[in-house]
Short mmCIF file of all heavy atoms in Angstrom, two decimals:
data_model
loop_
_atom_site.label_atom_id
_atom_site.label_comp_id
_atom_site.label_asym_id
_atom_site.label_seq_id
_atom_site.Cartn_x
_atom_site.Cartn_y
_atom_site.Cartn_z
N GLN S 1008 192.99 47.78 12.52
CA GLN S 1008 191.91 46.79 12.43
C GLN S 1008 190.93 47.19 11.34
O GLN S 1008 190.61 48.38 11.17
CB GLN S 1008 191.16 46.75 13.79
CG GLN S 1008 189.98 45.81 13.82
CD GLN S 1008 190.37 44.38 13.71
OE1 GLN S 1008 191.33 43.93 14.28
NE2 GLN S 1008 189.61 43.61 12.92
N ARG S 1009 190.45 46.25 10.57
CA ARG S 1009 189.45 46.48 9.56
C ARG S 1009 188.15 45.80 10.02
O ARG S 1009 188.16 44.83 10.74
CB ARG S 1009 189.85 45.90 8.21
CG ARG S 1009 191.02 46.61 7.59
CD ARG S 1009 191.37 45.96 6.27
NE ARG S 1009 192.54 46.57 5.69
CZ ARG S 1009 192.50 47.47 4.69
NH1 ARG S 1009 191.36 47.80 4.17
NH2 ARG S 1009 193.64 47.94 4.25
N TYR S 1010 187.00 46.34 9.55
CA TYR S 1010 185.71 45.81 9.92
C TYR S 1010 184.90 45.53 8.67
O TYR S 1010 184.97 46.27 7.69
CB TYR S 1010 184.96 46.81 10.80
CG TYR S 1010 185.68 47.09 12.08
CD1 TYR S 1010 186.52 48.22 12.19
CD2 TYR S 1010 185.56 46.25 13.18
CE1 TYR S 1010 187.24 48.45 13.35
CE2 TYR S 1010 186.26 46.49 14.34
CZ TYR S 1010 187.11 47.59 14.44
OH TYR S 1010 187.79 47.85 15.59
N GLN S 1011 184.11 44.49 8.71
CA GLN S 1011 183.23 44.14 7.61
C GLN S 1011 181.82 44.38 8.06
O GLN S 1011 181.38 43.86 9.08
CB GLN S 1011 183.41 42.68 7.21
CG GLN S 1011 182.67 42.26 5.97
CD GLN S 1011 182.97 40.86 5.57
OE1 GLN S 1011 183.50 40.07 6.37
NE2 GLN S 1011 182.68 40.53 4.36
N ILE S 1012 181.08 45.19 7.28
CA ILE S 1012 179.72 45.57 7.65
C ILE S 1012 178.78 45.28 6.50
O ILE S 1012 179.07 45.64 5.36
CB ILE S 1012 179.65 47.07 7.99
CG1 ILE S 1012 180.55 47.40 9.17
CG2 ILE S 1012 178.22 47.50 8.29
CD1 ILE S 1012 180.71 48.89 9.45
N THR S 1013 177.67 44.61 6.80
CA THR S 1013 176.67 44.32 5.79
C THR S 1013 175.70 45.50 5.71
O THR S 1013 175.22 45.98 6.75
CB THR S 1013 175.89 43.03 6.12
OG1 THR S 1013 176.85 41.96 6.20
CG2 THR S 1013 174.87 42.73 5.09
N GLU S 1014 175.44 45.96 4.52
CA GLU S 1014 174.50 47.06 4.34
C GLU S 1014 173.06 46.53 4.40
O GLU S 1014 172.52 46.02 3.47
CB GLU S 1014 174.73 47.75 2.99
CG GLU S 1014 173.89 49.00 2.86
CD GLU S 1014 174.22 49.80 1.61
OE1 GLU S 1014 175.41 50.16 1.40
OE2 GLU S 1014 173.29 50.07 0.84
N THR S 1015 172.46 46.72 5.57
CA THR S 1015 171.06 46.35 5.79
C THR S 1015 170.17 47.45 5.22
O THR S 1015 170.66 48.51 4.85
CB THR S 1015 170.76 46.14 7.29
OG1 THR S 1015 170.99 47.40 7.92
CG2 THR S 1015 171.63 45.05 7.89
N ASP S 1016 168.85 47.21 5.23
CA ASP S 1016 167.95 48.27 4.78
C ASP S 1016 168.08 49.52 5.65
O ASP S 1016 168.08 50.63 5.12
CB ASP S 1016 166.48 47.75 4.81
CG ASP S 1016 166.20 46.71 3.74
OD1 ASP S 1016 167.00 46.60 2.78
OD2 ASP S 1016 165.19 45.99 3.90
N ALA S 1017 168.18 49.31 6.96
CA ALA S 1017 168.27 50.47 7.87
C ALA S 1017 169.60 51.23 7.61
O ALA S 1017 169.60 52.47 7.59
CB ALA S 1017 168.22 50.00 9.30
N LEU S 1018 170.69 50.48 7.43
CA LEU S 1018 171.96 51.14 7.17
C LEU S 1018 171.94 51.85 5.81
O LEU S 1018 172.46 52.94 5.67
CB LEU S 1018 173.11 50.13 7.24
CG LEU S 1018 174.51 50.71 7.03
CD1 LEU S 1018 174.82 51.84 7.99
CD2 LEU S 1018 175.54 49.60 7.14
N ALA S 1019 171.34 51.22 4.82
CA ALA S 1019 171.22 51.84 3.49
C ALA S 1019 170.48 53.15 3.59
O ALA S 1019 170.87 54.14 2.95
CB ALA S 1019 170.54 50.91 2.54
N GLU S 1020 169.44 53.21 4.38
CA GLU S 1020 168.67 54.44 4.56
C GLU S 1020 169.52 55.53 5.22
O GLU S 1020 169.50 56.68 4.80
CB GLU S 1020 167.42 54.17 5.39
CG GLU S 1020 166.48 55.35 5.52
CD GLU S 1020 165.21 55.01 6.31
OE1 GLU S 1020 164.80 53.86 6.33
OE2 GLU S 1020 164.66 55.96 6.87
N CYS S 1021 170.30 55.13 6.20
CA CYS S 1021 171.19 56.08 6.88
C CYS S 1021 172.26 56.58 5.90
O CYS S 1021 172.56 57.79 5.87
CB CYS S 1021 171.89 55.43 8.06
SG CYS S 1021 170.81 55.09 9.44
N LEU S 1022 172.80 55.72 5.09
CA LEU S 1022 173.82 56.14 4.10
C LEU S 1022 173.22 57.02 3.04
O LEU S 1022 173.86 57.97 2.61
CB LEU S 1022 174.45 54.87 3.46
CG LEU S 1022 175.38 54.08 4.37
CD1 LEU S 1022 175.74 52.75 3.73
CD2 LEU S 1022 176.61 54.85 4.74
N ASP S 1023 171.96 56.76 2.64
CA ASP S 1023 171.32 57.62 1.68
C ASP S 1023 171.16 59.05 2.23
O ASP S 1023 171.37 60.02 1.54
CB ASP S 1023 169.93 57.03 1.28
CG ASP S 1023 170.04 55.78 0.44
OD1 ASP S 1023 171.14 55.49 -0.09
OD2 ASP S 1023 169.03 55.07 0.36
N LYS S 1024 170.75 59.13 3.50
CA LYS S 1024 170.58 60.44 4.11
C LYS S 1024 171.94 61.12 4.28
O LYS S 1024 172.06 62.34 4.08
CB LYS S 1024 169.87 60.28 5.49
CG LYS S 1024 168.42 59.94 5.36
CD LYS S 1024 167.79 59.78 6.68
CE LYS S 1024 166.35 59.35 6.57
NZ LYS S 1024 165.69 59.11 7.85
N ALA S 1025 172.97 60.38 4.64
CA ALA S 1025 174.29 60.91 4.79
C ALA S 1025 174.80 61.43 3.46
O ALA S 1025 175.50 62.46 3.39
CB ALA S 1025 175.24 59.87 5.34
N ALA S 1026 174.48 60.74 2.36
CA ALA S 1026 174.88 61.15 1.02
C ALA S 1026 174.26 62.48 0.64
O ALA S 1026 174.83 63.20 -0.16
CB ALA S 1026 174.54 60.07 0.00
N GLU S 1027 173.11 62.81 1.20
CA GLU S 1027 172.50 64.10 0.95
C GLU S 1027 173.33 65.21 1.61
O GLU S 1027 173.46 66.31 1.06
CB GLU S 1027 171.07 64.13 1.46
CG GLU S 1027 170.13 63.22 0.67
CD GLU S 1027 168.74 63.17 1.27
OE1 GLU S 1027 168.40 63.97 2.19
OE2 GLU S 1027 167.97 62.28 0.85
N LYS S 1028 173.83 64.91 2.80
CA LYS S 1028 174.62 65.91 3.53
C LYS S 1028 176.05 65.98 2.96
O LYS S 1028 176.63 67.07 2.89
CB LYS S 1028 174.70 65.52 5.01
CG LYS S 1028 175.50 66.51 5.82
CD LYS S 1028 175.37 66.27 7.29
CE LYS S 1028 176.12 67.33 8.08
NZ LYS S 1028 175.79 67.41 9.45
N TRP S 1029 176.62 64.84 2.60
CA TRP S 1029 177.98 64.77 2.07
C TRP S 1029 177.90 64.12 0.67
O TRP S 1029 178.27 62.96 0.49
CB TRP S 1029 178.88 63.97 2.97
CG TRP S 1029 179.00 64.53 4.36
CD1 TRP S 1029 179.57 65.71 4.72
CD2 TRP S 1029 178.59 63.92 5.61
NE1 TRP S 1029 179.52 65.87 6.09
CE2 TRP S 1029 178.90 64.78 6.66
CE3 TRP S 1029 177.92 62.71 5.92
CZ2 TRP S 1029 178.65 64.49 8.00
CZ3 TRP S 1029 177.68 62.43 7.24
CH2 TRP S 1029 178.01 63.30 8.27
N PRO S 1030 177.44 64.84 -0.37
CA PRO S 1030 177.13 64.24 -1.65
C PRO S 1030 178.33 63.67 -2.43
O PRO S 1030 178.14 62.77 -3.20
CB PRO S 1030 176.49 65.39 -2.42
CG PRO S 1030 176.92 66.62 -1.76
CD PRO S 1030 177.17 66.27 -0.31
N ASP S 1031 179.50 64.17 -2.23
CA ASP S 1031 180.65 63.70 -3.01
C ASP S 1031 181.52 62.69 -2.26
O ASP S 1031 182.66 62.46 -2.64
CB ASP S 1031 181.51 64.94 -3.42
CG ASP S 1031 180.71 65.86 -4.30
OD1 ASP S 1031 179.88 65.39 -5.11
OD2 ASP S 1031 180.94 67.09 -4.20
N VAL S 1032 180.95 62.06 -1.25
CA VAL S 1032 181.71 61.10 -0.46
C VAL S 1032 181.24 59.69 -0.76
O VAL S 1032 180.04 59.43 -0.85
CB VAL S 1032 181.51 61.43 1.07
CG1 VAL S 1032 182.24 60.40 1.93
CG2 VAL S 1032 181.95 62.82 1.42
N ALA S 1033 182.19 58.76 -0.94
CA ALA S 1033 181.88 57.37 -1.20
C ALA S 1033 181.14 56.76 -0.02
O ALA S 1033 181.36 57.14 1.12
CB ALA S 1033 183.15 56.58 -1.51
N ARG S 1034 180.27 55.79 -0.31
CA ARG S 1034 179.50 55.15 0.76
C ARG S 1034 180.37 54.58 1.86
O ARG S 1034 180.07 54.63 3.03
CB ARG S 1034 178.55 54.12 0.20
CG ARG S 1034 177.35 54.76 -0.53
CD ARG S 1034 176.47 53.77 -1.21
NE ARG S 1034 175.41 53.23 -0.36
CZ ARG S 1034 174.28 53.86 -0.03
NH1 ARG S 1034 174.08 55.09 -0.43
NH2 ARG S 1034 173.39 53.29 0.69
N SER S 1035 181.52 53.99 1.48
CA SER S 1035 182.40 53.42 2.48
C SER S 1035 182.91 54.50 3.41
O SER S 1035 183.04 54.31 4.65
CB SER S 1035 183.57 52.70 1.85
OG SER S 1035 184.32 53.60 0.99
N LYS S 1036 183.19 55.68 2.91
CA LYS S 1036 183.66 56.79 3.72
C LYS S 1036 182.51 57.43 4.51
O LYS S 1036 182.72 58.00 5.57
CB LYS S 1036 184.41 57.83 2.89
CG LYS S 1036 185.70 57.28 2.31
CD LYS S 1036 186.50 58.34 1.66
CE LYS S 1036 187.63 57.78 0.88
NZ LYS S 1036 188.77 57.40 1.56
N LEU S 1037 181.29 57.29 3.98
CA LEU S 1037 180.14 57.79 4.72
C LEU S 1037 179.94 57.04 6.03
O LEU S 1037 179.49 57.60 7.01
CB LEU S 1037 178.84 57.67 3.87
CG LEU S 1037 178.71 58.68 2.73
CD1 LEU S 1037 177.47 58.37 1.88
CD2 LEU S 1037 178.66 60.09 3.24
N LEU S 1038 180.32 55.75 6.01
CA LEU S 1038 180.26 54.97 7.26
C LEU S 1038 181.12 55.61 8.33
O LEU S 1038 180.72 55.71 9.49
CB LEU S 1038 180.69 53.53 7.03
CG LEU S 1038 179.69 52.64 6.31
CD1 LEU S 1038 180.38 51.33 5.92
CD2 LEU S 1038 178.48 52.37 7.21
N VAL S 1039 182.29 56.05 7.94
CA VAL S 1039 183.20 56.69 8.87
C VAL S 1039 182.58 58.00 9.37
O VAL S 1039 182.59 58.30 10.55
CB VAL S 1039 184.57 56.94 8.26
CG1 VAL S 1039 185.49 57.72 9.18
CG2 VAL S 1039 185.20 55.61 7.86
N GLN S 1040 182.05 58.79 8.41
CA GLN S 1040 181.43 60.09 8.76
C GLN S 1040 180.29 59.86 9.77
O GLN S 1040 180.16 60.60 10.74
CB GLN S 1040 180.89 60.78 7.53
CG GLN S 1040 181.95 61.25 6.54
CD GLN S 1040 182.73 62.40 7.09
OE1 GLN S 1040 183.83 62.21 7.60
NE2 GLN S 1040 182.21 63.57 6.99
N LEU S 1041 179.45 58.86 9.49
CA LEU S 1041 178.34 58.58 10.39
C LEU S 1041 178.82 58.13 11.77
O LEU S 1041 178.25 58.55 12.80
CB LEU S 1041 177.44 57.50 9.78
CG LEU S 1041 176.58 57.94 8.62
CD1 LEU S 1041 175.84 56.73 8.00
CD2 LEU S 1041 175.58 58.98 9.05
#
């Protein structure tokens, strides 16, 4: 199954913070990590 997710402001903030922890990971993969 695939899922479509819209990047809201709150989600963008979470992804930005996740990118600090996992800097070399693409945002799409950061969703999985989170």
Side-chain angles (χ1 to χ4, degrees):
Q1008 178 68 41
R1009 292 179 183 258
Y1010 299 95
Q1011 186 174 17
I1012 299 172
T1013 301
E1014 187 174 305
T1015 62
D1016 290 343
L1018 182 55
E1020 187 177 332
C1021 290
L1022 289 169
D1023 291 343
K1024 289 179 183 176
E1027 292 175 11
K1028 180 171 183 164
W1029 300 295
D1031 297 326
V1032 178
R1034 286 175 88 75
S1035 59
K1036 293 188 191 281
L1037 286 174
L1038 285 169
V1039 176
Q1040 293 290 99
L1041 287 173

